[in-house]
Amino acid sequence: MDILTLSLLFAAATFIALFSGMPIAFAVGGVALVFMICFMPLAALSLVTETIYAELDNFTLLTIPLFVLMGAAIGKSRAGEDLYASLNRWLYRVPGGLGVANTMACSVFSAMCGSSPATCSAIGSSGIPQMRSRGYSEGLATGLIAAGGTLGILIPPSLTLILYGLATEQSIGKLFMAGVGPGLLLTVMFAAYVMWKYTREKRAARSSADASGDSSHALLQEEHYSWAERFESLPRFAPFLAVIAIVMIALYGGWATPSEVAGIGAFFSLLMVMAIYRCYRWADLRVILNGTVKESCMIMMIIGMSFLYTWVMSNLNITQEAAQWLVTLPIGKWGFFTAVCVLLLVLGFFLPPVAIILMVTPIILPALNAHGFDLIWFGVIMTIMLEAGLVTPPVGLNIFVINGIAPDIPLKAIMKGVMPFIVLMMLAVVLLTVVPGIAMWLPDHYQGS
Amino acid sequence: MLTQIAGALRRFNRLAAYLSGGVIIAASAILVWQVAVRYWLKWPTDWEIELCVMLLIISTFMSAAHTQAERGHVAIDMLDTMLSPRVNRWRLLLADTLTFAFCAFVAWNAWEFFHEAWADGKTSPSLWGPKLWIPYFFVAFGMTTLTLELALQAARHKEAA
Amino acid sequence: PTALAQTTLKLSHQFPAASTPDGDFRDRLAKQFAAEVEKRTNGQIKIVVYPGNSLMKTNTQFGAIRKGILDMTVLPLAYGGGEVPEVNLTLMPALITSYEQGLRWRTSPVGQQLEKLLEDKGIKVLTWVWQAGGIASSDKPMVAPDDVKGTKFRGGSREMDVMLKTAGAAITNVPSNEIYSGMQSRVLDAALTSSTSHISYRLFETSKSFTTGRDHSFWYMFEPLLISNDVFKKLTPEQQKVMVEVGLSLEKFAMEEAKKDDERAAEVFAKAGVKVVDMDEASFRKWQALAQQTAWKDFAERVKDGQRWMDMATSVK
Ligand code: NA
Ligand code: NA
């Protein structure tokens, strides 16, 4: 069987399995298993569990349950509500202020962890219900968090940029610096879109209220807070600021590695919720525990099984052949660049960012060098393309994380809600291509020091 | 009889899930401990990360069945509204059967994986060097309870279909 | 299948792909082997190289090659230490004193016993590759055992850790992908690894001093080119002969490149403004004395026939 037929078969099987209604984790695992049976030596079957285990046996990856615990402690207790109520007093005048705050929160959280699903889960578990209760549409609330979460792999520290740096022998420090500008750019673009969309949603709600006479829509509830009420809410930020301060000191003060910070954040968030919000009774704790294990198990299972899927795909050589074929095309520098971006986008439909970097980078690297691309700049472009993969169907980890946090919102609404953000990511790639300085200014200026 | 077994399994899985949650909290506490003793006391920290990795893997697998019982393993549900209820029932029965078959295979393979480590006395190559059959056991056990849970769910679907 | 049919073998390793002529030599070794074998078998054997963990995770490779699921690999053998404790001998502090001595293992009883042990476990050695290593430090240079006292040190393997712990280092276990940021934030004070990995992990960006692996190093690691026995046995006698010959012919290449990397690491660190020092004879002797009392003893007591292995190894001059 030639490689093209095999690839199409693999893609078709993936779509069928996923849309059959099988849980994502077991659908991708099942597809991998079937292709192993058909196209790989039978002995490989004895390595299934070992492959899954060996991939999970990675501390950086296993920070996800810890970040999920952190999110659940805040989101499943009164802490999250309290924080957003206080935030709202300060931001209610800004159109889409709460959405903007959530975008910022994703950015800040991304600066603490290198994982996108972790960012999604930690911010989304309180952010989504809060935005929903204030009238944001399902699509906007979930799309914003799903997309905001992808910043986790762009804003340093970033696991994918480390792997890219090792594969291309580029300075990881410079790559991290190059991720800052584009990370901020995307944050601003996302926030601007949220404000625009919010205004439109509010206008639509008003005109339908005028037509029906029913003005009970949450978006139309007029609020007013005096400065006294605002300042009164200030002490409520203190516990959160304390946790953030502990984490930041640990991370930047040389106490802990980025992965260890996950444990510190989780521990002190839980401690804060227990001490200040008095969640030490079993009735409160069980909600946090249940939420934590369900979500982290779901995410880790998808990640574990998708490694099996990745292994089979690598064994069948599909990704590598596609990249190889691309390299031989006579399409010039920018033709090649565009083709690589398309390849990354398509691979992103199915594979997680880490797998794509490991498989594709070694093959396209010589061509990138030959065409004279700056490898630091390209690392940022690649990361943004892979970010898009985290929110594109059929396999889009962030979408599934959001679905786990907000099970009442249909997947279709989340996917629709995230589309505009994908467009913004592509726009950012174009901007970075035209103005490389957005990424390169920082690393270029700090070269000496 | 079947409902009793199902009930017992559910209760056991729920307990395992709460314990898994406790294990995640324990892992976070160990990390805080590691950072503290390393920074202030300059103690060696040569086992903490490895232990945390094992604990977090164990918690993932030991909570898989409970997560499935609460339908927490996310699936794409887009066809639910597009097909007729009759077709959907058969589709979901097929999906549940396939899921069961896959997990049953992994469970069986995981016991082999455990047995090999047990029989060869495999240890981690680190200085701490714990026996590897311990985490492998929980992987196999977790996959097995997950498979049983899936079998019960498929049986119930079949009744409905 | 007939002997003339084309066989495709998969070679997996964990090292970065070499995109330039001075890229990671372990990847170049694999690629040269593949090209030479393909040429000499007139295309009967095609070897596809998967660099940088792109086919299989580092820790799975040892088990997979034993079972014949993975065809070939370039692998630090000590990674199999949890499965086959004897292989810890190949990353034993201060046991090997030079590349030449390491290569003499192949024709000495210790090497032959090692090859036989591996063959019993389903693995065949094709090219003997040794590599020296050095110590990156985020403070003063780590030369003698006294220097490591009280430092947060990543030794990276059981036997190194056993020795360093007795020297007074606080063994600090961080994942390999966090060495860089660990050194930067001073969670780690020092890390021990091969010269090539020092370069590819870019530790020169986050360290202040570097003890090279040239001249004297207590860190020599065996990372041979391996083929699964099951796979090897399925080849025709002529094909087997080609594999063995090509493997042997690359031994010299590997040694020269490893030596070059010891020099290159020194250059790269120096260029980045890091203080570069070499280990002197006296310090090496101190390490060796310490290793004898700690890691060597640990191995002799813990591993079956451990003392016999140690005696065979120390008898190679
Ligand atoms: Na990040
Ligand atoms: Na995707």
Side-chain angles (χ1 to χ4, degrees):
Chain A
M1 188 180 296
D2 69 292
I3 199 84
L4 185 64
T5 322
L6 193 64
S7 323
L8 292 176
L9 209 60
F10 201 66
T14 308
F15 269 99
I16 292 171
L18 285 168
F19 283 89
S20 75
M22 287 174 80
I24 312 292
F26 311 126
V28 292
V31 171
L33 189 62
V34 169
F35 275 75
M36 279 172 86
I37 294 170
C38 297
F39 299 102
M40 281 166 68
L42 273 182
L45 287 179
S46 69
L47 219 65
V48 166
T49 314
E50 194 171 345
T51 302
I52 298 170
Y53 190 93
E55 293 284 357
L56 288 179
D57 184 4
N58 170 342
F59 185 56
T60 316
L61 204 61
L62 285 165
T63 55
I64 290 175
L66 298 166
F67 281 121
V68 171
L69 171 62
M70 183 172 173
I74 294 169
K76 304 260 179 216
S77 66
R78 246 179 354 94
E81 233 169 279
D82 221 41
L83 175 67
Y84 277 93
S86 313
L87 265 177
N88 192 48
R89 290 191 184 186
W90 289 86
L91 294 172
Y92 74 100
R93 275 175 188 281
V94 182
L98 207 54
V100 174
N102 271 291
T103 315
M104 304 290 194
C106 283
S107 243
V108 171
F109 203 86
S110 297
M112 300 183 344
C113 85
S115 153
S116 290
T119 309
C120 256
S121 156
I123 304 299
S125 25
S126 11
I128 293 172
Q130 291 300 319
M131 285 191 280
R132 293 280 292 128
S133 73
R134 286 179 174 79
Y136 284 61
S137 70
E138 292 174 338
L140 182 58
T142 54
L144 148 67
I145 299 285
T150 67
L151 295 173
I153 60 168
L154 181 63
I155 296 178
S158 150
L159 177 59
T160 34
L161 281 177
I162 291 180
L163 289 172
Y164 175 85
L166 295 182
T168 56
E169 307 194 331
Q170 294 301 303
S171 159
I172 294 160
K174 273 194 190 178
L175 278 166
F176 277 7
M177 282 193 260
V180 173
L184 293 178
L185 172 72
L186 274 171
T187 311
V188 171
M189 287 168 82
F190 289 175
Y193 170 77
V194 169
M195 291 173 79
W196 177 78
K197 178 77 178 162
Y198 175 90
T199 315
R200 272 183 58 124
E201 281 183 3
K202 192 161 181 173
R203 202 179 304 142
R206 176 144 303 136
S207 58
S208 87
D210 289 345
S212 66
D214 170 20
S215 59
S216 65
H217 196 288
L219 281 179
L220 302 178
Q221 303 314 306
E222 289 304 328
E223 296 168 292
H224 183 77
Y225 297 102
S226 64
W227 283 103
E229 282 170 311
R230 289 180 183 177
F231 280 106
E232 197 182 81
S233 74
L234 270 187
R236 299 185 174 241
F237 290 115
F240 296 94
L241 291 177
V243 172
I244 292 178
I246 291 174
V247 165
M248 290 295 175
I249 290 171
L251 183 59
Y252 297 104
W255 296 31
T257 64
S259 307
E260 288 164 349
V261 157
I264 298 177
F267 186 82
F268 284 102
S269 300
L270 189 64
L271 200 67
M272 181 231 354
V273 164
M274 285 168 80
I276 296 179
Y277 290 90
R278 313 212 159 262
C279 287
Y280 44 73
R281 282 177 212 89
W282 175 237
D284 304 316
L285 280 178
R286 66 183 288 176
V287 180
I288 295 175
L289 285 181
N290 197 36
T292 305
V293 291
K294 261 168 63 185
E295 204 189 317
S296 82
C297 173
M298 182 267 287
I299 300 175
M300 295 313 291
M301 278 286 172
I302 295 181
I303 292 177
M305 296 303 168
S306 68
F307 279 127
L308 194 63
Y309 182 85
T310 305
W311 179 48
V312 173
M313 201 154 159
S314 192
N315 240 289
L316 300 178
N317 225 3
I318 295 173
T319 315
Q320 287 88 340
E321 294 260 355
Q324 210 103 53
W325 171 76
L326 230 172
V327 166
T328 58
L329 289 181
I331 44 179
K333 180 173 178 177
W334 294 105
F336 174 74
F337 175 77
T338 315
V340 168
C341 286
V342 172
L343 175 76
L344 291 173
L345 191 64
V346 173
L347 288 173
F349 291 165
F350 302 97
L351 292 172
V354 167
I356 300 177
I357 286 193
L358 293 182
M359 288 196 269
V360 173
T361 327
I363 297 169
I364 60 168
L365 188 57
L368 288 174
N369 278 324
H371 284 304
F373 287 107
D374 183 324
L375 289 178
I376 300 273
W377 171 81
F378 186 79
V380 173
I381 299 283
M382 187 164 186
T383 305
I384 298 177
M385 295 309 297
L386 298 181
E387 276 188 78
L390 286 164
V391 289
T392 53
V395 188
L397 191 52
N398 282 17
I399 301 182
F400 304 140
V401 173
I402 300 293
N403 197 225
I405 300 171
D408 55 313
I409 301 175
L411 216 49
K412 211 159 83 184
I414 306 177
M415 288 181 188
K416 225 174 112 188
V418 90
M419 283 306 159
F421 293 95
I422 299 178
V423 174
L424 290 177
M425 290 178 204
M426 299 302 117
L427 195 62
V429 168
V430 174
L431 272 173
L432 277 165
T433 309
V434 181
V435 193
I438 301 170
M440 300 310 294
W441 186 84
L442 202 56
D444 284 347
H445 277 73
Y446 275 84
Q447 198 157 19
S449 63
Chain B
M1 182 65 185
L2 191 66
T3 36
Q4 273 168 335
I5 297 176
L9 183 69
R10 290 257 160 122
R11 279 194 297 279
F12 174 80
N13 289 340
R14 192 179 311 132
L15 178 68
Y18 285 135
L19 287 175
S20 300
V23 165
I24 298 179
I25 296 176
S28 75
I30 293 170
L31 287 169
V32 172
W33 147 275
Q34 146 157 311
V35 168
V37 302
R38 187 179 57 208
Y39 188 79
W40 280 302
L41 305 173
K42 312 266 181 253
W43 284 6
T45 47
D46 47 3
W47 52 268
E48 287 87 347
I49 295 269
E50 211 177 348
L51 178 62
C52 282
V53 165
M54 283 186 183
L55 289 178
L56 292 168
I57 292 181
I58 290 172
S59 94
T60 298
F61 283 89
M62 287 308 289
S63 53
H66 174 70
T67 305
Q68 178 60 28
E70 302 209 342
R71 292 281 177 181
H73 290 294
V74 172
I76 295 182
D77 54 7
M78 275 191 209
L79 292 183
D80 286 7
T81 49
M82 294 161 76
L83 301 174
S84 76
R86 217 177 78 88
V87 178
N88 267 332
R89 272 203 300 274
W90 284 102
R91 178 174 61 89
L92 288 177
L93 178 60
L94 179 74
D96 277 2
T97 314
L98 288 175
T99 306
F100 166 78
F102 171 74
C103 290
F105 173 82
V106 178
W108 168 76
N109 183 246
W111 283 114
E112 266 195 340
F113 182 50
F114 155 73
H115 180 258
E116 201 181 73
W118 167 275
D120 296 356
K122 266 189 212 170
T123 57
S124 145
S126 68
L127 183 59
W128 178 40
K131 294 268 183 238
L132 287 176
W133 64 260
I134 303 168
Y136 295 179
F137 170 81
F138 287 101
V139 172
F141 193 76
M143 283 310 295
T144 308
T145 49
L146 170 65
T147 309
L148 289 176
E149 175 62 41
L150 284 162
L152 286 169
Q153 285 185 347
R156 204 159 306 148
H157 252 290
K158 195 156 177 238
E159 273 167 33
Chain C
T2 61
L4 288 173
Q6 198 202 34
T7 314
T8 303
L9 302 180
K10 292 185 162 71
L11 191 162
S12 151
H13 67 71
Q14 79 210 61
F15 310 107
S19 55
T20 51
D22 64 346
D24 196 296
F25 83 87
R26 298 159 295 194
D27 182 55
R28 284 187 287 134
L29 170 77
K31 283 179 183 148
Q32 281 194 26
F33 183 87
E36 190 63 21
V37 166
E38 191 171 344
K39 196 174 101 197
R40 297 205 8 204
T41 58
N42 296 318
Q44 280 175 25
I45 299 180
K46 191 170 155 28
I47 298 168
V48 187
V49 180
Y50 292 79
N53 281 329
S54 60
L55 179 64
M56 204 171 257
K57 203 77 186 171
T58 311
N59 292 337
T60 339
Q61 290 177 141
F62 190 78
I65 198 156
R66 281 186 65 185
K67 292 179 187 152
I69 297 159
L70 174 62
D71 303 324
M72 299 184 68
T73 180
V74 183
L75 180 75
L77 201 63
Y79 285 5
E83 243 173 287
V84 182
E86 289 88 346
V87 301
N88 280 322
L89 191 69
T90 63
L91 185 47
M92 186 65 71
L95 182 58
I96 303 280
T97 50
S98 72
Y99 284 100
E100 288 75 10
Q101 187 206 17
L103 287 182
R104 278 195 288 277
W105 273 35
R106 187 166 55 75
T107 47
S108 309
V110 64
Q112 282 163 359
Q113 289 284 317
L114 185 65
E115 286 197 348
K116 187 173 170 310
L117 172 80
L118 290 174
E119 264 174 59
D120 290 343
K121 305 281 179 195
I123 301 172
K124 185 167 173 55
V125 181
L126 290 173
T127 309
W128 277 66
V129 183
W130 285 98
Q131 219 191 341
I135 309 167
S137 156
S138 47
D139 198 2
K140 60 174 183 166
M142 306 275 157
V143 184
D146 283 342
D147 298 329
V148 307
K149 202 163 281 166
T151 57
K152 289 170 281 184
F153 207 114
R154 186 186 186 277
S157 77
R158 185 190 162 87
E159 305 299 355
M160 295 292 163
D161 283 350
V162 167
M163 178 182 74
L164 291 166
K165 202 168 186 171
T166 311
I171 301 301
T172 303
N173 192 358
V174 301
S176 62
N177 61 15
E178 288 203 330
I179 301 179
Y180 181 94
S181 51
M183 295 271 295
Q184 191 169 38
S185 63
R186 293 299 299 267
V187 164
L188 264 186
D189 294 322
L192 180 57
T193 185
S194 70
S195 302
T196 319
S197 293
H198 272 300
I199 302 169
S200 51
Y201 286 147
R202 311 189 69 80
L203 296 184
F204 49 87
E205 290 175 12
T206 53
S207 51
K208 284 220 173 59
S209 355
F210 178 60
T211 314
T212 70
R214 58 187 179 192
D215 301 339
H216 295 290
S217 172
F218 64 76
W219 194 97
Y220 271 91
M221 181 170 80
F222 184 46
E223 43 182 357
L225 174 67
L226 303 171
I227 185 167
S228 167
N229 244 349
D230 289 352
V231 176
F232 188 73
K233 279 188 199 133
K234 284 194 197 114
L235 303 175
T236 65
E238 298 83 66
Q239 289 172 339
Q240 290 181 347
K241 192 162 161 271
V242 170
M243 298 287 267
V244 170
E245 280 174 11
V246 174
L248 210 54
S249 74
L250 287 170
E251 197 176 272
K252 192 156 162 269
F253 163 82
M255 180 176 77
E256 279 166 4
E257 292 299 322
K259 281 184 179 173
K260 261 191 225 164
D261 275 357
D262 293 340
E263 295 293 339
R264 207 159 66 88
E267 275 165 36
V268 169
F269 274 78
K271 211 176 132 209
V274 176
K275 182 173 182 197
V276 174
V277 295
D278 295 318
M279 185 174 288
D280 54 300
E281 171 87 25
S283 298
F284 177 80
R285 290 291 157 218
K286 279 185 203 156
W287 282 113
Q288 197 170 43
L290 184 63
Q292 272 169 356
Q293 294 156 20
T294 53
W296 295 18
K297 217 163 117 195
D298 174 68
F299 180 86
E301 284 164 5
R302 219 170 43 88
V303 177
K304 187 169 158 273
D305 289 334
Q307 190 57 53
R308 198 172 59 83
W309 281 105
M310 284 309 306
D311 292 342
M312 283 192 295
T314 45
S315 70
V316 181
K317 294 299 165 212

